[in-house]
């Protein structure tokens, strides 16, 4: 075909020469006819050339599709067993400290801590307690139907970092760029399909106006909150009752807040600490090490003192001597701080009498180590302590209430994300990395297949291969999701292995993050914690390359 096309310029030239020769001119009419013949002939040749070009392009596309098909078939054969190279990949440390912004620990002189889910480690039983107390309050005080008392907390349903849409009543998992995960939208307990998502939101990307109706469920208490919201919505849907999605959120949120502010959950935990609290001798080692190194320590929590005291005594009783008190570890103890307002208000500190359960009326202008303080604000705290800026690091579990304020004040921040350990352990599994590598191969082949389309022409071979690739990719994606959570997948990752919106907030507000404070025991207090030079969005993520499946000489080596 190529040799035939090279003859075309010659043919075209001969045609033009014959029709323009002076020997054939026969007046004006002959010239017009000659000109018409030339134009017609050139147009015919041009169309013929265009047809040949299209035929040649179609052959190239067919060759490309055939090549992708061969690579896909080879890849499927390689999917039959886990490659040795994948097994040899280094594992990520589940108890590591992961760095978004570099910190020199030798410059940190002050360590501050939240209490709940930071110093205090809770068992999975706590979520059921919060859920049950909240639903009872909704039935008894808000007059929700009595049938709601039969609801049970489902630990397999929620994850941290979801969003609730107060306008449409959906629970959403968003990715790093604010788009709804295709399998991450639930109305009640029913997962919505992509067409239903598009009917509600137009596209999967959440616009600015839609974002105003979203509330983030970011702390460790959000598990029971998300589950109760979904169960209430599902009840109204099943009962075919009209409801306002915003009211349900407000009522559930008020019930959860009542459970905490009234002390119901605190009394429930202290009445059976073995059921809800986890003893932690390593925490004491860490705090004592900091004191030995001359560091200043403070506790800043929203919980009341009696609850913190009872919990700390229980968690450390096996590690501390009978005459020692956990309070001796801290230079300042502040309870009922009312974060995040603590960081922006000008509320004064009050000295708390632990024996009389009363607040003193005298002005607090200095902190004494053997005293407990309530309320207060960041402005007064900095004026009294003179602890400023980057010499302070604060540990907390709630990205907004605990860490956003300190980060804006110039403190360094450490996010404590308890589920980080289990998610890293799963990412270390060969079975997960196997599925991730498969997904990357299929994604790569799909991208190349899409690029072969010319003028929207799709052959049957193209459509068949596209369907097969999409089916295999969906299988790998679903498998990865179910390894973490059957409803929403991983906390930090989307089903495609990319970062979630929750990961975005950690990246935004946490200089470092880890699963528990005592992981710092594995590092010297003089360590320089550096962000990786090849940093991904989240430094603990391992991206499994697709070429682990590729061997020299194998057709799959052509994927790049």
């Amino acid at each position: 075909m190529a040799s035939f096309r090279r003859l075309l310029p010659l043919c075209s030239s001969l045609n033009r020469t014959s029709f323009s020769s002076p020997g054939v001119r026969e007046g004006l009419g002959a010239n017009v006819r000659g000109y018409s013949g030339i134009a017609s002939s050139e147009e015919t040749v041009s169309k013929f050339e265009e047809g040949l070009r299209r035929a040649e392009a179609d052959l190239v596309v067919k060759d490309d599709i055939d090549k992708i098909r061969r690579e896909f078939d080879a890849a499927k054969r390689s999917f039959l067993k886990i490659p040795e190279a994948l097994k040899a990949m280094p594992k990520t440390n589940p108890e590591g400290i992961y760095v978004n912004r570099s910190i020199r620990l030798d410059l940190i002189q002050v360590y501050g801590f939240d209490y709940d889910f930071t110093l205090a480690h809770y068992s999975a039983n706590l979520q059921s307690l919060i859920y049950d107390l909240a639903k009872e309050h909704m039935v008894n005080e808000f007059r929700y139907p009595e049938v709601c008392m039969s609801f049970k907390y489902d630990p397999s349903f929620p994850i941290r970092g979801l969003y609730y849409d107060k306008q449409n009543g959906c629970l959403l998992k968003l990715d790093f760029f604010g788009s709804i995960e295709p399998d991450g939208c639930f109305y009640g307990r029913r997962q919505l399909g992509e067409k239903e998502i598009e009917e509600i939101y137009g596209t999967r990307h959440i616009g600015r106006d839609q974002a105003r109706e979203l509330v983030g469920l970011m702390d460790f208490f959000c598990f029971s909150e998300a589950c109760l919201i979904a169960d209430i919505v599902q009840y109204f849907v099943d009962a075919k009752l009209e409801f306002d999605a915003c009211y349900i959120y407000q009522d559930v949120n008020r019930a959860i807040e009542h459970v905490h502010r009234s002390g119901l959950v605190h009394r429930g935990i202290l009445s059976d600490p073995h059921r809800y609290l986890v003893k932690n001798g390593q925490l004491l080692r860490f705090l004592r090490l900091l004191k030995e190194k001359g560091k200043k320590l403070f506790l800043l929590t929203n919980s009341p003192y009696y609850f913190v005291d009872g919990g700390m005594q229980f968690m450390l009783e096996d590690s501390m001597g009978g005459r020692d008190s956990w309070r001796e570890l801290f230079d300042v103890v502040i309870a009922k701080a009312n974060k995040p307002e603590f960081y922006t208000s000008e509320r004064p500190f009050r000295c708390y009498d632990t024996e009389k359960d009363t607040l003193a009326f005298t002005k607090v202008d200095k902190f004494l180590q053997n005293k407990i303080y309530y309320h207060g604000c960041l402005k007064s705290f900095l004026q009294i302590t003179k602890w400023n800026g980057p010499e302070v690091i604060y540990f907390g579990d709630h990205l907004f209430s605990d860490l956003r304020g300190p980060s804006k004040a110039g403190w360094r921040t450490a996010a404590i994300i308890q589920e980080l350990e289990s998610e890293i352990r799963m990412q270390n599994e060969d079975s997960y990395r196997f599925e991730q590598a498969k997904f990357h191969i299929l994604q790569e082949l799909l991208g190349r297949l899409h690029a072969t389309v010319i003028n929207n022409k799709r052959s049957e071979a193209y459509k068949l291969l596209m369907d097969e690739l999409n089916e295999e990719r969906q299988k790998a994606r679903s498998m990865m999701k179910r390894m973490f959570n059957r409803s929403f997948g991983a906390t930090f990752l989307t089903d495609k292995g990319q970062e979630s919106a929750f990961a975005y907030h950690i990246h935004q507000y946490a200089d470092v993050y880890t699963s528990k404070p005592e992981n710092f025991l594995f590092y010297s207090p003089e360590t320089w914690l550096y962000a990786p030079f090849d940093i991904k969005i989240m430094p603990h993520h391992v991206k499994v390359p697709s070429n682990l499946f590729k061997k020299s000489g194998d057709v799959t080596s052509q994927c790049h």
Side-chain angles (χ1 to χ4, degrees):
M1 180 183 295
S3 61
F4 180 70
R5 289 191 63 192
R6 283 195 291 271
L7 296 175
L8 289 175
L10 179 60
C11 296
S12 178
S13 177
L14 289 172
N15 284 325
R16 283 194 296 271
T17 302
S18 63
F19 280 107
S20 60
S21 173
V24 295
R25 291 179 183 172
E26 298 179 2
L28 181 60
N31 285 335
V32 171
R33 287 193 299 274
Y35 180 79
S36 176
I38 292 172
S40 175
S41 177
E42 289 186 343
E43 184 178 346
T44 300
V45 171
S46 176
K47 288 182 178 179
F48 185 59
E49 283 184 318
E50 180 63 25
L52 288 174
R53 280 195 294 269
R54 288 181 179 177
E56 189 174 53
D58 288 343
L59 282 176
V60 172
V61 168
K62 183 178 183 303
D63 288 344
D64 287 343
I65 293 175
D66 289 343
K67 182 180 178 182
I68 295 171
R69 162 63 71 182
R70 290 194 300 272
E71 293 178 16
F72 178 43
D73 291 340
K76 284 193 291 185
R77 290 193 295 273
S78 72
F79 292 164
L80 297 177
K81 63 178 182 179
I82 298 176
E84 291 301 319
L86 187 146
K87 295 179 181 179
M89 283 185 64
K91 305 296 185 183
T92 304
N93 182 8
E95 297 177 321
I97 297 173
Y98 296 96
V99 186
N100 290 324
R101 287 168 286 281
S102 299
I103 293 181
R104 288 181 53 178
L105 292 183
D106 61 322
L107 299 181
I108 301 294
Q109 301 303 317
V110 183
Y111 284 73
F113 300 91
D114 183 33
Y115 175 71
D116 290 301
F117 301 104
T118 301
L119 294 180
H121 295 225
Y122 294 100
S123 72
N125 296 320
L126 178 59
Q127 299 300 331
S128 294
L129 175 65
I130 297 171
Y131 181 96
D132 290 342
L133 292 172
K135 76 180 181 187
E136 289 172 10
H137 185 73
M138 293 182 71
V139 171
N140 296 332
E141 300 299 325
F142 302 159
R143 298 296 184 261
Y144 272 68
E146 192 71 27
V147 69
C148 295
M149 292 295 288
S150 64
F151 294 169
K152 300 292 183 184
Y153 175 69
D154 179 4
S156 68
F157 176 68
I159 62 172
R160 194 196 314 220
L162 299 178
Y163 289 82
Y164 179 68
D165 181 350
K166 294 184 294 182
Q167 180 174 342
N168 296 300
C170 297
L171 276 173
L172 309 172
K173 180 181 178 182
L174 304 182
D175 67 14
F176 194 89
F177 302 102
S179 294
I180 304 169
E181 273 283 271
D183 297 331
C185 179
F186 280 74
Y187 186 61
R189 297 298 291 272
R190 185 176 71 86
Q191 180 180 315
L192 300 186
E194 291 194 45
K195 288 186 178 180
E196 291 176 296
I197 294 174
E198 289 181 5
E199 288 176 1
I200 297 172
Y201 296 100
T203 66
R204 288 198 300 109
H205 184 74
I206 296 293
R208 183 176 299 178
D209 291 338
Q210 292 169 321
R212 294 191 182 99
E213 298 298 327
L214 303 185
V215 288
L217 307 176
M218 297 292 166
D219 66 358
F220 209 77
F221 296 116
C222 72
F223 294 92
S224 46
E225 184 174 10
C227 192
L228 187 53
I229 287 173
D231 289 342
I232 295 290
V233 169
Q234 191 61 53
Y235 166 76
F236 279 104
V237 171
D238 292 342
K240 296 181 172 56
L241 298 174
E242 291 187 6
F243 66 96
D244 188 314
C246 184
Y247 293 164
I248 289 181
Y249 168 74
Q250 290 174 347
D251 289 345
V252 171
N253 185 255
R254 284 167 55 204
I256 296 285
E257 285 189 0
H258 170 78
V259 163
H260 290 89
R261 292 181 177 177
S262 67
L264 281 173
V265 71
H266 300 145
R267 292 190 291 273
I269 292 170
L270 294 182
S271 67
D272 193 358
H274 290 276
R275 179 174 174 79
Y276 300 110
L277 281 166
V278 178
K279 294 200 173 188
N280 190 1
Q282 291 295 95
L283 174 64
L284 179 61
R285 278 189 57 208
F286 173 51
L287 298 177
R288 280 180 170 166
L289 175 65
L290 294 177
K291 294 296 289 184
E292 290 168 4
K293 295 292 183 179
K295 308 298 183 181
K296 299 292 185 181
L297 274 65
F298 69 93
L299 176 63
L300 178 66
T301 176
N302 286 352
S303 294
Y305 171 74
Y306 80 89
F307 175 65
V308 176
D309 182 51
M312 291 291 282
Q313 287 188 46
F314 173 80
M315 288 187 294
L316 304 180
E317 64 183 356
D318 296 339
S319 306
M320 298 188 73
R323 294 186 302 275
D324 294 334
S325 169
W326 66 268
R327 286 166 51 180
E328 296 172 0
L329 298 168
F330 294 91
D331 297 273
V332 182
V333 176
I334 301 168
K336 299 194 78 169
N338 197 34
K339 295 175 292 182
E341 284 77 11
F342 175 88
Y343 300 112
T344 56
S345 74
E346 295 193 6
R347 193 177 186 184
F349 284 101
R350 303 284 296 274
C351 189
Y352 175 69
D353 190 319
T354 58
E355 294 182 359
K356 298 179 180 178
D357 189 28
T358 57
L359 296 176
F361 294 97
T362 54
K363 181 179 180 180
V364 175
D365 53 14
K366 63 180 177 179
F367 292 131
L368 302 176
Q369 187 171 10
N370 61 341
K371 297 293 184 181
I372 306 299
Y373 299 93
Y374 269 24
H375 311 317
C377 63
L378 178 63
K379 180 180 178 180
S380 297
F381 182 84
L382 297 178
Q383 289 173 346
I384 295 171
T385 63
K386 305 296 189 291
W387 297 338
N388 290 306
E391 69 173 352
V392 182
I393 186 170
Y394 186 69
F395 293 71
D397 73 294
H398 196 300
L399 300 178
F400 298 150
S401 295
D402 288 332
L403 303 183
R404 181 162 53 184
S407 67
K408 291 182 178 180
W411 290 359
R412 309 313 300 268
T413 53
I416 302 302
I417 313 296
Q418 184 174 319
E419 56 267 45
L420 179 65
E421 269 191 49
S422 61
E423 294 215 353
I424 289 180
R425 293 187 196 282
M426 179 54 67
Q427 290 180 49
N428 283 339
E429 291 290 330
D430 289 343
S431 56
Y432 174 79
R433 294 183 171 191
F434 181 58
E435 296 298 331
Q436 190 188 78
K438 283 167 59 176
F439 181 86
H440 289 168
I441 289 175
L442 296 165
Q443 190 84 337
E444 184 180 293
L445 293 175
L446 274 166
R448 289 171 54 203
L449 183 60
H450 279 295
T452 65
V453 178
I454 297 178
N455 297 327
N456 294 319
K457 289 177 64 176
R458 292 178 171 87
S459 65
E460 286 302 317
Y462 172 94
K463 294 176 182 176
L464 180 62
L465 181 55
M466 178 66 71
D467 290 342
E468 291 182 39
L469 284 167
N470 274 320
E471 182 180 355
E472 287 296 322
R473 183 181 64 164
Q474 182 59 38
K475 286 180 183 177
R477 195 168 128 189
S478 298
M479 186 67 71
M480 287 191 291
K481 174 182 176 178
R482 289 196 297 270
M483 289 179 181
F484 294 98
N485 174 282
R486 62 176 175 81
S487 300
F488 293 100
T491 303
F492 295 88
L493 294 170
T494 67
D495 299 343
K496 296 180 181 179
Q498 298 169 328
E499 281 72 16
S500 65
F502 181 70
Y504 167 78
H505 292 302
I506 293 178
H507 185 74
Q508 189 175 19
Y509 296 121
D511 293 323
V512 298
Y513 62 99
T514 188
S515 61
K516 49 187 182 287
E518 54 269 29
N519 289 341
F520 275 71
L521 279 171
F522 300 114
Y523 302 79
S524 164
E526 287 76 38
T527 298
W528 292 21
L529 299 175
Y530 281 109
F533 72 92
D534 59 343
I535 187 169
K536 301 172 283 292
I537 296 176
M538 299 302 293
H540 78 275
H541 288 164
V542 172
K543 304 293 187 183
V544 180
S546 60
N547 60 14
L548 282 178
F549 281 94
K550 302 168 188 174
K551 303 174 183 177
S552 61
D554 193 323
V555 67
T556 55
S557 66
Q558 302 171 18
C559 283
H560 284 304

